[in-house]
């Protein structure tokens, strides 16, 4: 009797504890893991030139300020009149009063001057006892050109401060969808913009409804010059290759049926895509040569007749593919080792990656190979997640209303771009893993979707 | 005493399972239940020696193809399938999948023009009452309901009488899924209708599919009625 009473009390206690743990909203434990960003002071541009007025200088300063403020490693401190005066005389000498900088925890001060038709920057380490320069940035008075030059300057500063390549010079490819007035029809064209969303311009227009553009990794030493996309020009979606400078689309393959979501390996030797030539959307692999195009026949590498497969993404070493399938109910992300030719479906070991979330789609493998970004449904809205492959943990990057989809990695594996949709609008957002504060970068009309981030020039 | 202990232990286990379930939303529980039942079904099938799905064959025509031209094509001319995926023989396969049409509309050298030559059948008096949209349940490509099956039969009858008519079947989804994934899901719906038509005797060379995903909604509402209208297969036809 005594034993039964204790067992009964213990049972009630366990139920109560478990109920408290699960009965309400999920418990969120904030961890103090947000990386510390370096504080930088950017003083107003000094205009020693007669070629550009102050208003123009202010526009260029805004570009550089954005780049330094959104690189995920530094934060630009707000302007301060006292520091502006100090910045005018900023030199690393014993006379200079560095205590005011240190009091504001400023680690680097940057002073940009415009002389004749060139910009130059002085980078002063407040604590480090050095000053370095970045010179010879030509400006010609055309805003598009000079904005690009500010991005070049930002990357030079980034390299000086952090020893790594910056992403300010990189570009983003995406689609812009518009409804045709008076018709139940739409256009969807391919655009390109700087990574900050500016200098946006169409690359391909009026070549059929186009979706999912992707930069093709470049030849060593060169920036990417070509891209792939899917067009409904003839009716069924087919894969095309085109040059950025002189767009002249070429069909990748004359395979029948629908072809969707192509992606090129970093080695530029394989294209993975979805095709329903068998009557079901399965995963195919096409050997590829940048000079010859498709080589040989495409081969099927995942066949699941009862399921829908989608959105393949290569690992950086080109040996694995992550993709979406709803073979176990809700769409989830799976990973396979690319099977060799002649394999059977039983040889393909399909490993589930996203065990907890449901409705997981649009995986994107980071260039450093350590993470996979994707979107998953949380409380009715799609949010962006990052799966850490080393720790086998997932991190939610976004929250709130609007569906966030189609994440694409920057070549630094730190930033992501994605589109966030609500009703008939869709805009592009930037986010980095160190700050988790999305920044809207697109503007203007149309729905901007399916972003692809330009990779670094191959080494 | 022993009975009381047994009851307490079973109650404790049942409570743990229930409370764990309460930690998930209703949709998540339903989703996991479907996944679980799918795996259980496969497990029992394997125990019974069935390595794949099978279906009941009712007559000789079910076993042998009605039109040999619709079956038994060699995919190796076009792509390399996984070695155990035999698309060359469709006999008695439960997962029936009609072979793709010989031609690809709009491709270089194709006798079938691209989509711009195909018309909306609702704008033509002869076909307005035949080519109705087919609707689908959420996240499914199954053709259900007597209305939808009647539409399939009507279209099949029309196409068998008009062998010079070609049809594009467009697969559409509602707004709720992800954009990229829905592009592929639309393909399953379009192919489901295509398979149904070919099973009814339509020449597979006259039927093509397009997957639009949620790119072309019929209506813009955010309710089940609107979503139901958008989850559809739609048709465009071309008469040679």
């Amino acid at each position: 009797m005594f034993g039964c009473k204790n067992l009964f009390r213990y049972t009630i206690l366990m139920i109560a504890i478990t109920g408290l743990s699960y009965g309400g909203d999920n418990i969120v434990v904030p961890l103090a893991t947000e990386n510390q960003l370096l504080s930088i002071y950017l003083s107003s541009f000094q205009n020693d030139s007669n070629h550009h007025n102050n208003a123009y200088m202010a526009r260029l300063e805004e570009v550089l300020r954005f780049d330094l403020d959104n690189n995920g490693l530094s934060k630009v401190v707000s302007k301060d009149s006292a520091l502006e005066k100090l910045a005018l005389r900023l030199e690393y000498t014993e006379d200079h009063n560095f205590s005011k900088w240190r009091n504001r925890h400023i680690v680097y001060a940057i002073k940009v001057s415009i002389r004749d038709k060139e910009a130059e920057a002085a980078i002063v380490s407040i604590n480090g006892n050095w000053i370095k320069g970045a010179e010879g940035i030509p400006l010609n008075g055309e805003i598009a050109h000079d904005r690009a030059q500010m991005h070049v300057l930002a990357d030079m500063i980034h390299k000086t401060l952090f020893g790594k390549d910056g992403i300010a010079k990189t570009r983003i490819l995406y689609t812009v969808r518009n409804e045709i007035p008076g018709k139940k029809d739409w256009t969807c064209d391919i655009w390109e913009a700087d990574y900050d969303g500016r200098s946006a311009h169409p690359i391909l227009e009026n070549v059929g409804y186009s979706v999912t553009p992707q930069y093709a990794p470049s030849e060593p030493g060169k920036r990417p010059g070509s891209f792939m996309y899917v067009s409904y020009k003839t009716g069924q979606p087919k894969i095309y290759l085109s040059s950025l400078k002189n767009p002249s689309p070429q069909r990748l393959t004359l395979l029948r049926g629908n072809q969707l979501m192509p992606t090129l390996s970093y080695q530029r030797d394989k294209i993975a895509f979805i095709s329903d030539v068998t009557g079901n959307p399965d995963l195919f692999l096409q050997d590829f040569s940048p000079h010859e195009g498709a080589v040989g026949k495409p081969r099927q590498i995942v066949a699941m007749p009862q399921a829908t497969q989608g959105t393949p993404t290569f690992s950086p070493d080109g040996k694995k593919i992550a993709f979406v399938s709803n073979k176990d109910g809700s769409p989830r992300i799976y990973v396979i080792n690319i099977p060799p030719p002649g394999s059977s479906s039983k040889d393909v070991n399909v490993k589930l990656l996203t065990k907890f979330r449901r409705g997981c789609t649009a995986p994107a493998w980071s260039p450093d190979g350590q993470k996979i970004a994707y979107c998953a449904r949380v409380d009715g809205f799609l949010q962006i997640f990052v799966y850490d492959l080393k720790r086998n943990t997932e991190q939610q990057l976004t929250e709130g209303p609007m569906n966030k989809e189609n994440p694409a990695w920057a070549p630094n594996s730190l930033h992501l771009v994605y589109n966030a949709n609500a009703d008939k609008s869709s805009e592009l957002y930037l986010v980095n893993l160190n700050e988790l504060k999305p920044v809207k970068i697109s503007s203007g009309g149309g729905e901007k979707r399916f972003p692809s981030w330009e990779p670094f020039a191959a080494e | 005493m022993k009975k009381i202990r047994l009851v307490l232990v079973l109650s404790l286990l049942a409570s743990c399972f229930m409370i764990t379930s309460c930690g998930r939303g209703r949709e998540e529980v339903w989703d996991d239940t479907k996944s679980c039942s799918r795996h259980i079904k496969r497990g029992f099938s394997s125990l019974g020696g069935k390595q794949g799905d099978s279906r009941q064959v009712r007559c000789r025509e079910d076993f042998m193809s009605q039109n040999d031209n619709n079956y038994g094509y060699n995919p190796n001319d076009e792509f390399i399938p996984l070695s155990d995926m035999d698309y060359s023989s469709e006999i008695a396969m439960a997962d029936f999948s009609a072979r793709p049409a010989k031609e690809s509309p709009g491709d270089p050298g194709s006798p079938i023009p691209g989509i711009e030559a195909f018309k909306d059948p609702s704008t033509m008096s002869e076909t307005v009452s035949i080519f109705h949209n087919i609707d689908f349940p959420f996240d499914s490509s199954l053709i259900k309901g007597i209305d939808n099956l009647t539409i399939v039969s009507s279209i099949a009858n029309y196409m068998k009488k008009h062998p010079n008519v070609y049809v594009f079947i467009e697969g559409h989804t509602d707004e709720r899924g992800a954009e990229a994934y829905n592009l592929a899901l639309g393909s399953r719906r379009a192919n489901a209708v295509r398979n149904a038509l070919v099973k009814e005797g339509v020449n597979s060379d006259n039927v093509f599919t397009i997957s639009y995903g949620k790119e072309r909604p019929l209506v813009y509402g955010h309710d089940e009625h609107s979503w139901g209208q958008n989850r559809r297969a739609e048709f465009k036809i071309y008469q040679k």
Side-chain angles (χ1 to χ4, degrees), chain A residues 52-116:
Chain A
H52 312 291
N53 59 41
N54 288 340
Y56 190 76
M57 290 297 105
R59 290 176 76 181
L60 297 186
E61 183 187 320
E62 188 190 327
V63 175
L64 186 61
R65 187 172 292 273
F66 180 91
D67 290 346
L68 296 176
D69 209 30
N70 289 281
N71 60 18
L73 297 175
S74 61
K75 211 68 195 149
V76 179
V77 172
S78 355
K79 279 194 183 172
D80 179 291
S81 53
L83 292 177
E84 281 294 305
K85 285 180 187 167
L86 277 179
L88 284 173
R89 302 181 279 110
L90 186 59
E91 304 171 347
Y92 206 91
T93 65
E94 289 179 7
D95 296 338
H96 191 86
N97 184 358
F98 281 95
S99 60
K100 286 198 175 176
W101 300 101
R102 293 191 183 110
N103 288 343
R104 294 281 302 275
H105 306 291
I106 292 167
V107 183
Y108 297 104
I110 297 171
K111 187 165 79 167
V112 176
S113 309
I114 312 294
R115 292 202 171 89
D116 290 326

Side-chain angles (χ1 to χ4, degrees), chain A residues 2-24:
Chain A
F2 178 78
C4 286
K5 271 189 183 172
N6 277 338
L7 183 61
F8 181 73
R9 286 173 191 152
Y10 179 73
T11 304
I12 298 298
L13 184 62
M14 289 308 297
I15 291 170
I17 290 171
T18 315
L20 282 172
S21 302
Y22 285 95

Side-chain angles (χ1 to χ4, degrees), chain A residues 1 4 7-8 11 14-15 18-19 22 26 177 179 184-186 209 211-212 232-238 251 254-258 260-261 276-282 284 297-303 305-311 324 326-332 342-346 348 358 361 375 377 382 405-406 419 421 423-424 449-450, chain B residues 1 4-5 8-9 11-12 15-16 19-20 22-24 27-29 31-32 35 38-39 42 53 73 76-85 87 95 97-108 113-116 139 168 175-181 183-185 187-188 191 195 208-220 222:
Chain A
M1 221 31 211
C4 286
L7 183 61
F8 181 73
T11 304
M14 289 308 297
I15 291 170
T18 315
Y22 285 95
N26 289 335
R177 180 173 181 261
E179 189 166 2
K184 200 71 176 175
D185 204 358
W186 293 261
Y209 196 94
V211 294
T212 61
Y232 287 78
K233 183 179 168 185
T234 58
Q236 291 177 313
K238 304 287 187 185
R251 275 278 290 275
L254 291 177
L255 192 65
R256 288 173 287 174
N258 294 260
L260 296 159
M261 297 171 253
D276 71 347
V277 64
T278 60
N280 189 67
D282 282 327
F284 283 74
K297 298 175 200 170
R299 62 184 177 97
Q300 188 184 36
I301 57 173
V302 169
Q306 298 295 338
T308 302
Q309 277 63 245
T311 334
V324 178
N326 70 342
K327 74 182 191 71
D328 293 318
S330 180
R332 298 195 194 200
S343 299
S344 74
S345 61
K346 295 179 183 58
V348 184
R358 288 151 186 80
T361 58
C375 57
R377 196 164 292 281
L382 289 169
E405 303 183 43
N406 307 314
N419 57 271
N421 325 320
D423 284 331
K424 296 187 194 179
R449 303 176 307 154
F450 301 119
Chain B
M1 186 67 149
I4 293 170
R5 280 184 187 160
L8 282 172
V9 168
S11 302
L12 176 63
S15 301
C16 287
I19 287 161
T20 306
C22 290
R24 291 172 290 161
E27 281 186 18
E28 292 165 340
V29 171
D31 189 63
D32 288 344
S35 296
R38 199 169 288 144
H39 286 296
R42 284 187 202 139
D53 287 332
Y73 82 104
N76 291 331
D77 292 337
E78 191 170 41
F79 69 92
I80 304 169
L82 285 161
S83 61
D84 55 341
M85 300 304 290
Y87 295 104
D95 293 332
S97 194
R99 66 163 178 80
K102 281 184 190 150
E103 301 292 343
S104 202
D107 270 4
I115 189 69
E116 66 280 353
D139 199 23
F168 257 125
E175 62 171 354
R176 290 176 289 174
E179 289 158 342
Y181 173 74
L183 288 173
L185 181 58
S187 163
R188 276 189 67 85
N191 279 291
N195 292 339
F208 313 101
T209 58
I210 304 177
S211 178
Y212 276 126
K214 61 179 187 178
E215 301 298 301
R216 292 173 175 253
L218 201 57
V219 293
Y220 277 119
H222 308 298

Side-chain angles (χ1 to χ4, degrees), chain A residues 77 165 270:
Chain A
V77 172
D165 290 331
K270 296 182 286 290

Side-chain angles (χ1 to χ4, degrees), chain B residues 61-81:
Chain B
E61 283 69 34
D62 269 359
F63 188 78
M64 301 299 291
S65 63
Q66 292 181 352
N67 179 357
D68 284 345
N69 285 337
N70 283 336
Y71 302 91
Y73 82 104
N74 185 2
N76 291 331
D77 292 337
E78 191 170 41
F79 69 92
I80 304 169

